[in-house]
Amino acid sequence: MVLDYIGVKEINGSLIVLDGVKGAFNEEIVDIKLDNGTTRQGRIVQMDGERIVVQVFENTKGISLVNTKTRLIGKPMEMPLSKEIIGRILNGSGKPIDNLGDIYPQKMGNINGTPLNPVSRVYPKNYINTGISTIDTLITLIRGQKLPIFSGSGMKHNELAVQIVRQAKIADDDGKGFCVVFAAMGVKNDVADYFKRSFEDFGVMNRVVMLLNLANDPIIERILTPKCALTVAEYLAFEHDMQVLVIMTDMTSYAEALREFSSSKGEIPGRKGFPGYLYSDLASLYERAGMVKGSKGSVTQIPILTMPNDDITHPVPDLTGYITEGQIVLSRSLQGQGLYPPIDILPSLSRLMKDGIGEGYTRAEHQDLANQLFSSYAKVIDARSLASVIGAEELSAIDKKYLEFGDAFEKRFVNQSFTENRSIEQSLDLGWELLGILPKSELDRVDDAILDKFYKPFVD
Amino acid sequence: MDNANIKDVIYGINGPVVTVKNSRSFSMMEMVYVGEKKLVGEVIRMSKGETTIQVYEETTGLKPGDAVVGTGAAMNVVLGPGIMDNIFDGIERPLAAIENATGSVFISRGVSVPSLDEDKEWDVHITVKKGDMLSGGDIYATMPETRIIEHRCLVPPYISGEVTEIVSDGKYKLNDVVVAIKDQNGKKHELTLCQKWPIKTPRPVKEKLPADIPLITGQRVIDTLLPISKGGTAAIPGGFGAGKTMTQHQLAKWCDADIIVYIGCGERGNEMSQVLQEFKELIDPKSNRPMTDRTVLIANTSNMPVAAREASIYTGITLAEYYRDMGYHCAIMADSTSRWAEALREISGRLEEMPAEEGFPAYLPSRLSDFYERAGRVETLGGKQGSVTVIGAVSPQGADFSEPVTQNTKRFTRCFWALDKSLAYARHYPAINWMTSYSEYFTDLDPWFEKNQGKDFIEYRNKITAILQEENSLMEIVKLIGADVLPDDQKLIIETAKVIRVGFLQQNAFHKDDTFVPLEKQKLMMKTIIHLYEVSKSLIARSIPLSRIISLGLFDKLIKMKYDIPNSKLEMFADYEKEIDEALNTTLTAEFN
């Protein structure tokens, strides 16, 4: 039986309260019909007996206490799924906005997803060659990993993401099983447009699903955007064996939307006003990456987030770092020196790297080289801070060598052009070449046998 | 279904918290089934008009009016054979069996699978005979659970009496009655291979014993500078990427406990699958069997329901206590207790409780202390010795150690292994900062070290600590004016400290010899380093420049000795010492000629 409830009892921000509702269930979707004929959707988020609290997906503008009819749909939030969804452009709640008509569903998917059984997961091991030296050598991306880019406003995270998409050899040789799910949350129209144009430029637009919730779209829809995107990704990966790369930008806007929603619900705020369940909520998104038994597909996530005031201890990057398997951190000072991609390698990390590199994957000495580069570059930073106090002239001979190594490392290894696609051999060889600037005795992270094979003193 | 129960229905729903109006049939902490799918929940608050229940599964689809059925017992776990080499979620549901039962890679809700395999037949050996008097904690049957762990069935605490019936040795299933006992009042108790125990109640022991035996981990920075005892407690705080999980993995793999309980509490799914895979492949050096034979995993990943995450810590420690009562040394790795504290906070928020520091509930410290106090080396009710060591990772927000979870954990643990971001950035692992970390077990453990490793072990350790301490204060100066202006004897401190840091404290988990280092080798390494330091010092006193000494390459050689000297060839250390003496003697003679 379908019942319409007339009027609402209370309106507060994006929430409306109805009384006397029977037979509703938690997380059920409702249709809200306004007098002017338009319809909005909402979701039940809290219930006390017959009093229900509904979160309205668009906004509550125009809703009054008397002019609405609310109908219970009898289903939790679902979205239509089909292989035909590839190449389409959807809004934040998964409805097509490209005027190509509705998606004919082969299956309806609950957007909240269900947690993967840890036993059913396959531990990700295949590395993705991105053609970017810093990432391939030091922060190797693995198929099925979630590796966010920590950035700040005005930094080149979008370019980096686009370059990764273009160069990533994620699929089989013919590129058949590959697709990108792109979720924009609260980003500017230009940004969404930049991604769209880039995808078109290198001819993969027909392999992309775009979900757009732009900066001026309703915030409640923004909360649904990543959930819809990941539902699509899981469907394509686990039921159609595709290699799916999910790019979500900007996670900070998502978290802020969640905060706005939480405060209008009157919840007790945690750090910086974010709700106490921010960790669990972010985890329910990020954990929807990986590979599972019985499917050849994979979901790899590259969430992008801008750190407010470049502060890595802000709750959003902080909690993200605890959930994701590493992070790529961009540095404003590197960008200021005109280096691209401005990846600050020291705080960057890939947790899955150690099992996906080395013999049989990349090259046997990869891990040793990476450890040595990290360790030597950490010493460069020490030498630089010393130089800023006593002046570079006063440094010991070895510290001067470190300065030289640091400059060369940044200019030649970190820095590469937007179109340059380096093979893993090129990157590793370059790493060894640069280590040649340092005396052999300084390379304490590498076994002597490997050093003898690869170490060559650098000659100008 | 009992009519008295069906009256209790859901009134309100808010996230994982469900309320029931006007009910009198529940008791505090009782386990209940909620809704048509029988989701597992627990009563967490009661008032005259309202009972509050936290649900351990996703509440989507529940509606007011759905039935809530009590079980009459507190949230409990089944203890019996089949726990080892298994993987459970936070409320002891076997994840592999769920996968088999549902045939899905996702965990659907309301799956009902017995915690332990009820159909498997165990090779049971009955250790009592008719007429024996048994009391709580006594062993009545044993069976090989895995190749290396003998499972011992224990009379539940609070039950005692005379054995009236036994079965003959043979194959039995989990719920088969193997022994019957008649207690003083003539009441008969039938004992199967398993028993139930409420997770939030510590299992009783006869007495707690002093913490005077170390837990050997094979990790130099821990065994030497920051030791922990069997039955001790340790906290590993560190921001993300500092290597908490890596350190926990290393400890789980190499520490000399008999049983490892690894709790993945609110952590990454891929990490759990890594543990699963790695432990299967890893061969325990002592038994030559896969690590999984002595390990139980509790996996409640960050996207699994938050209330079950809260329970996972208690489930883990209850399992450990059970094996402790059999006379085993158990170690718990809890990764991470911060996620557990956040689960508390999240539920507390839903209950609209008054928050204390940073939104955490005011009872956070008491919950933490309850948990850590369940650790200890004990004499069990059955008269055996066993221990539970708790090693909890803490993930402070923003790597700020002043936040409430770290601070409160610090109060209730006696080892504090602080992970340092800058060490991790330089890929110095384990990234335990030797200056900010501490262990309170020295006085308890020193007699053991003296007896088993000799007095000199402690002496070397103190010298190493002193050099590191001195380096630390010298670095303040070096940061300002550079190392070049220091006199040679201070430069020697810095050079020696470098050998200690890189050659001794830093340890390579991926190197076959370096991943686990026996105490013997740790001592010899310290001895060699101290020897080089002292000989060099005497040379400097005779005004031989440090640069001459360094140019001999001895310092670099010692840095690499952890790789160059295999664990099986400790006699090589003597050669090193000889080489040091000879090289420095030659320098001395050359200088004076």
Side-chain angles (χ1 to χ4, degrees):
Chain A
M1 181 178 60
V2 177
L3 271 181
D4 278 356
Y5 294 91
I6 295 175
V8 299
K9 203 175 161 223
E10 207 180 307
I11 305 171
N12 176 11
S14 59
L15 301 176
I16 59 174
V17 179
L18 274 75
D19 216 343
V21 179
K22 291 194 176 67
F25 63 82
N26 197 21
E27 305 265 332
E28 183 172 352
I29 294 297
V30 299
D31 274 343
I32 301 152
K33 206 177 223 172
L34 266 66
D35 274 355
N36 61 13
T38 58
T39 306
R40 293 178 201 176
Q41 278 201 323
R43 175 175 67 141
I44 300 178
V45 291
Q46 194 178 334
M47 331 182 57
D48 285 300
E50 295 185 342
R51 178 178 179 273
I52 61 168
V53 180
V54 175
Q55 166 197 49
V56 183
F57 292 151
E58 285 99 317
N59 52 43
T60 45
K61 209 184 285 171
I63 296 183
S64 83
L65 295 179
V66 289
N67 69 352
T68 60
K69 281 185 193 154
T70 309
R71 175 175 294 186
L72 303 173
I73 298 286
K75 283 191 295 207
M77 180 76 186
E78 286 179 333
M79 71 178 289
L81 294 171
S82 140
K83 221 180 162 186
E84 310 303 314
I85 206 166
I86 302 174
R88 301 294 299 268
I89 300 178
L90 317 171
N91 72 2
S93 49
K95 300 217 167 47
I97 48 170
D98 49 6
N99 299 323
L100 295 173
D102 282 345
I103 292 155
Y104 179 74
Q106 287 181 328
K107 186 188 163 179
M108 297 300 284
N110 180 346
I111 65 155
N112 290 318
T114 330
L116 271 175
N117 190 330
V119 182
S120 312
R121 280 182 186 268
V122 175
Y123 183 56
K125 275 193 170 171
N126 294 10
Y127 97 108
I128 297 174
N129 190 352
T130 64
I132 297 167
S133 289
T134 34
I135 297 183
D136 287 348
T137 316
L138 301 169
I139 328 161
T140 316
L141 178 65
I142 306 288
R143 196 182 288 181
Q145 186 176 20
K146 36 195 181 290
L147 189 65
I149 300 176
F150 286 11
S151 180
S153 314
M155 282 202 268
K156 298 203 167 169
H157 42 263
N158 296 330
E159 285 80 352
L160 181 59
V162 163
Q163 191 175 3
I164 292 175
V165 170
R166 186 184 46 200
Q167 295 181 178
K169 295 198 187 85
I170 189 172
D172 317 328
D173 294 330
D174 53 359
K176 247 187 190 160
F178 169 66
C179 84
V180 176
V181 174
F182 175 80
M185 291 160 282
V187 298
K188 293 182 287 285
N189 186 42
D190 319 358
V191 173
D193 206 44
Y194 171 75
F195 276 98
K196 204 167 137 191
R197 268 188 292 115
S198 306
F199 292 148
E200 275 164 1
D201 279 352
F202 38 84
V204 293
M205 195 57 208
N206 58 353
R207 313 218 63 85
V208 176
V209 186
M210 293 190 99
L211 289 100
L212 302 179
N213 172 278
L214 301 179
N216 55 350
D217 287 336
I219 63 125
I220 295 300
E221 205 179 88
R222 194 166 302 158
I223 296 174
L224 301 176
T225 311
K227 295 192 170 87
C228 294
L230 289 163
T231 307
V232 174
E234 279 176 345
Y235 171 77
L236 294 174
F238 302 147
E239 295 189 25
H240 290 286
D241 292 341
M242 299 187 82
Q243 312 303 329
V244 186
L245 186 64
V246 184
I247 295 180
M248 305 192 283
T249 180
D250 168 350
M251 291 308 292
T252 310
S253 301
Y254 168 80
E256 279 164 359
L258 199 66
R259 172 168 70 181
E260 191 176 333
F261 162 62
S262 160
S263 88
S264 64
K265 235 169 111 184
E267 289 171 337
I268 295 171
R271 204 156 49 121
K272 291 213 171 166
F274 288 100
Y277 51 80
L278 181 63
Y279 179 83
S280 303
D281 191 277
L282 287 175
S284 72
L285 301 177
Y286 294 138
E287 276 295 321
R288 293 171 79 174
M291 291 159 74
V292 297
K293 287 180 196 162
S295 161
K296 287 194 219 89
S298 65
V299 177
T300 310
Q301 284 187 20
I302 303 186
I304 299 173
L305 53 93
T306 49
M307 301 181 280
N309 199 21
D310 295 353
D311 176 13
I312 199 168
T313 66
H314 182 277
V316 179
D318 191 42
L319 295 178
T320 299
Y322 277 122
I323 307 164
T324 53
E325 283 131 358
Q327 62 276 339
I328 297 173
V329 182
L330 302 191
S331 142
R332 204 169 286 279
S333 84
L334 288 179
Q335 173 150 335
Q337 294 166 42
L339 300 177
Y340 170 88
I343 298 176
D344 187 357
I345 64 159
L346 291 183
S348 300
L349 171 76
S350 164
R351 287 167 191 272
L352 298 184
M353 166 175 174
K354 62 183 189 307
D355 293 307
I357 60 169
E359 197 86 65
Y361 299 100
T362 55
R363 233 161 60 179
E365 89 291 359
H366 187 157
Q367 183 73 52
D368 291 296
L369 172 68
N371 288 348
Q372 188 60 57
L373 284 171
F374 273 120
S375 158
S376 300
Y377 190 66
K379 287 194 185 138
V380 169
I381 303 300
D382 289 344
R384 278 185 187 159
S385 66
L386 188 57
S388 68
V389 180
I390 60 172
E393 287 304 306
E394 298 295 317
L395 288 180
S396 63
I398 191 74
D399 279 345
K400 280 181 188 157
K401 279 281 172 204
Y402 271 112
L403 288 190
E404 192 189 332
F405 165 75
D407 291 340
F409 179 78
E410 283 165 8
K411 288 215 176 68
R412 299 185 46 205
F413 192 85
V414 176
N415 193 25
Q416 76 184 77
S417 91
F418 179 62
T419 48
E420 190 178 355
N421 190 351
R422 290 185 194 158
S423 74
I424 182 76
E425 274 77 22
Q426 277 175 318
S427 296
L428 294 177
D429 289 343
L430 182 58
W432 283 114
E433 188 188 330
L434 293 169
L435 282 177
I437 296 173
L438 298 171
K440 199 170 173 181
S441 60
E442 284 296 309
L443 308 183
D444 49 22
R445 297 305 165 94
V446 190
D447 251 10
D448 281 340
I450 297 174
L451 269 189
D452 290 341
K453 193 167 162 203
F454 290 97
Y455 179 79
K456 278 191 297 296
F458 184 78
V459 271
D460 275 325
Chain B
M1 197 182 281
D2 189 348
N3 272 342
N5 281 336
I6 212 158
K7 280 191 304 206
D8 299 317
V9 295
I10 298 178
Y11 177 75
I13 304 163
N14 181 10
V17 173
V18 163
T19 51
V20 175
K21 280 265 186 226
N22 300 322
S23 164
R24 284 164 185 267
S25 47
F26 301 119
S27 60
M28 197 60 183
M29 305 316 239
E30 181 176 343
M31 190 172 130
V32 295
Y33 292 117
V34 181
E36 288 162 12
K37 288 193 169 168
K38 291 199 148 200
L39 311 181
V40 178
E42 184 185 30
V43 177
I44 51 172
R45 187 166 66 187
M46 304 187 82
S47 65
K48 202 170 174 189
E50 195 175 74
T51 306
T52 309
I53 292 161
Q54 65 172 343
V55 181
Y56 289 114
E57 294 174 76
E58 187 74 34
T59 53
T60 305
L62 285 182
K63 53 181 185 287
D66 281 356
V68 179
V69 184
T71 61
M75 195 58 218
N76 55 34
V77 288
V78 180
L79 301 172
I83 292 175
M84 280 302 119
D85 192 11
N86 210 336
I87 172 166
F88 299 105
D89 77 350
I91 47 175
E92 213 204 9
R93 287 187 302 185
L95 290 171
I98 289 180
E99 186 190 33
N100 284 336
T102 59
S104 160
V105 295
F106 296 102
I107 301 178
S108 34
R109 295 177 308 144
V111 192
S112 172
V113 177
S115 293
L116 301 176
D117 192 340
E118 292 178 344
D119 297 324
K120 182 163 176 179
E121 292 190 321
W122 298 95
D123 246 327
V124 179
H125 166 61
I126 303 292
T127 58
V128 294
K129 50 186 191 302
K130 267 187 204 172
D132 282 359
M133 291 302 291
L134 293 183
S135 60
D138 286 341
I139 297 167
Y140 58 86
T142 61
M143 69 218 67
E145 183 172 359
T146 63
R147 293 271 186 90
I148 50 173
I149 299 295
E150 179 195 60
H151 195 97
R152 300 161 189 159
C153 290
L154 306 169
V155 179
Y158 315 121
I159 291 184
S160 60
E162 188 190 336
V163 177
T164 53
E165 288 163 41
I166 56 168
V167 295
S168 51
D169 289 3
K171 290 198 179 291
Y172 295 96
K173 291 181 188 170
L174 193 70
N175 290 322
D176 292 344
V177 175
V178 292
V179 169
I181 292 181
K182 196 166 78 184
D183 66 14
Q184 279 175 331
N185 306 326
K187 193 177 168 209
K188 188 174 148 193
H189 298 275
E190 291 187 326
L191 304 181
T192 61
L193 300 184
C194 66
Q195 56 181 295
K196 286 187 174 178
W197 191 263
I199 57 171
K200 289 187 181 162
T201 314
R203 285 176 64 87
V205 297
K206 194 175 272 170
E207 74 174 316
K208 287 222 171 184
L209 300 172
D212 53 8
I213 302 175
L215 182 81
I216 306 297
T217 63
Q219 312 303 307
R220 286 183 294 260
V221 61
I222 292 176
D223 287 349
T224 315
L225 295 186
L226 304 157
I228 181 171
S229 73
K230 288 207 168 78
T233 48
I236 313 183
F240 59 85
K244 284 184 302 295
T245 305
M246 269 297 289
T247 313
Q248 294 258 29
H249 284 196
Q250 277 299 95
L251 293 175
K253 283 181 203 162
W254 299 113
C255 80
D256 65 344
D258 305 314
I259 306 270
I260 304 289
V261 179
Y262 195 99
I263 310 172
C265 171
E267 286 291 314
R268 308 174 180 88
N270 280 338
E271 226 157 53
M272 289 321 292
S273 73
Q274 179 197 354
V275 173
L276 270 178
Q277 185 193 328
E278 252 182 32
F279 281 26
K280 245 178 229 154
E281 289 167 2
L282 212 76
I283 302 298
D284 179 17
K286 282 171 292 182
S287 60
N288 272 325
R289 294 283 310 155
M291 291 311 266
T292 40
D293 272 11
R294 62 176 183 116
T295 310
V296 50
L297 288 171
I298 309 228
N300 214 85
T301 55
S302 52
N303 56 341
M304 283 155 80
V306 64
R309 192 193 306 164
E310 195 252 346
S312 64
I313 292 265
Y314 296 106
T315 301
I317 200 152
T318 308
L319 298 184
E321 282 177 342
Y322 178 57
Y323 281 89
R324 172 201 69 192
D325 291 349
M326 294 180 203
Y328 289 114
H329 294 289
C330 308
I332 296 189
M333 311 291 150
D335 188 13
S336 126
T337 55
S338 294
R339 304 290 158 248
W340 167 74
E342 274 161 19
L344 276 186
R345 173 169 72 183
E346 198 172 320
I347 294 161
S348 160
R350 303 269 190 199
L351 295 176
E352 296 176 354
E353 289 171 343
M354 183 71 79
E357 258 179 299
E358 298 217 12
F360 286 104
Y363 47 76
L364 174 71
S366 62
R367 293 282 171 89
L368 273 170
S369 61
D370 282 352
F371 170 67
Y372 281 108
E373 276 307 294
R374 288 175 77 169
R377 195 165 76 86
V378 303
E379 189 179 337
T380 66
L381 291 179
K384 289 186 174 274
Q385 288 198 6
S387 68
V388 173
T389 311
V390 177
I391 298 170
V394 183
S395 324
Q397 303 169 346
D400 168 18
F401 288 180
S402 67
E403 56 91 41
V405 182
T406 317
Q407 282 308 314
N408 286 310
T409 305
K410 228 173 160 174
R411 285 165 51 208
F412 307 120
T413 56
R414 292 181 65 199
C415 273
F416 188 73
W417 297 329
L419 298 185
D420 188 324
K421 222 174 196 173
S422 60
L423 288 176
Y425 284 178
R427 300 308 186 259
H428 174 120
Y429 291 124
I432 298 176
N433 184 317
W434 49 92
M435 297 317 294
T436 50
S437 306
Y438 60 79
S439 164
E440 293 175 9
Y441 289 110
F442 282 124
T443 37
D444 302 295
L445 295 176
D446 275 357
W448 187 94
F449 278 107
E450 219 174 292
K451 194 172 146 219
N452 292 279
Q453 291 296 322
K455 229 180 176 134
D456 38 352
F457 186 94
I458 300 169
E459 199 180 301
Y460 297 140
R461 177 181 71 206
N462 292 345
K463 282 184 180 159
I464 294 270
T465 322
I467 292 174
L468 288 171
Q469 187 74 47
E470 204 166 331
E471 187 218 15
N472 192 45
S473 40
L474 285 176
M475 282 321 265
E476 303 281 306
I477 308 172
V478 171
K479 265 184 208 145
L480 289 177
I481 53 172
D484 274 358
V485 293
L486 293 179
D488 266 1
D489 57 337
Q490 293 191 341
K491 268 192 213 158
L492 175 65
I493 294 273
I494 290 183
E495 286 299 327
T496 313
K498 186 180 159 199
V499 177
I500 298 173
R501 281 191 282 113
V502 185
F504 187 77
L505 298 180
Q506 187 201 104
Q507 199 164 340
N508 188 341
F510 306 112
H511 191 281
K512 66 176 177 9
D513 275 314
D514 208 32
T515 183
F516 172 88
V517 181
L519 278 185
E520 228 86 57
K521 185 175 171 188
Q522 299 190 18
K523 178 177 156 188
L524 288 168
M525 285 176 79
M526 288 196 287
K527 186 173 173 220
T528 315
I529 295 170
I530 296 290
H531 185 72
L532 174 65
Y533 169 70
E534 281 172 350
V535 178
S536 308
K537 201 171 160 189
S538 69
L539 257 64
I540 287 172
R542 303 177 70 168
S543 39
I544 294 185
L546 178 67
S547 49
R548 279 282 295 281
I549 303 174
I550 287 181
S551 67
L552 296 171
L554 292 169
F555 286 85
D556 291 330
K557 191 169 167 128
L558 290 205
I559 286 182
K560 295 215 160 110
M561 71 182 163
K562 58 182 174 184
Y563 303 134
D564 295 342
I565 303 183
N567 293 344
S568 54
K569 286 196 182 162
L570 298 184
E571 63 277 5
M572 283 173 72
F573 279 102
D575 304 338
Y576 271 62
E577 244 174 75
K578 216 194 265 164
E579 195 185 329
I580 293 171
D581 287 339
E582 276 166 12
L584 294 178
N585 262 329
T586 324
T587 321
L588 195 62
T589 350
E591 187 75 15
F592 282 91
N593 288 338

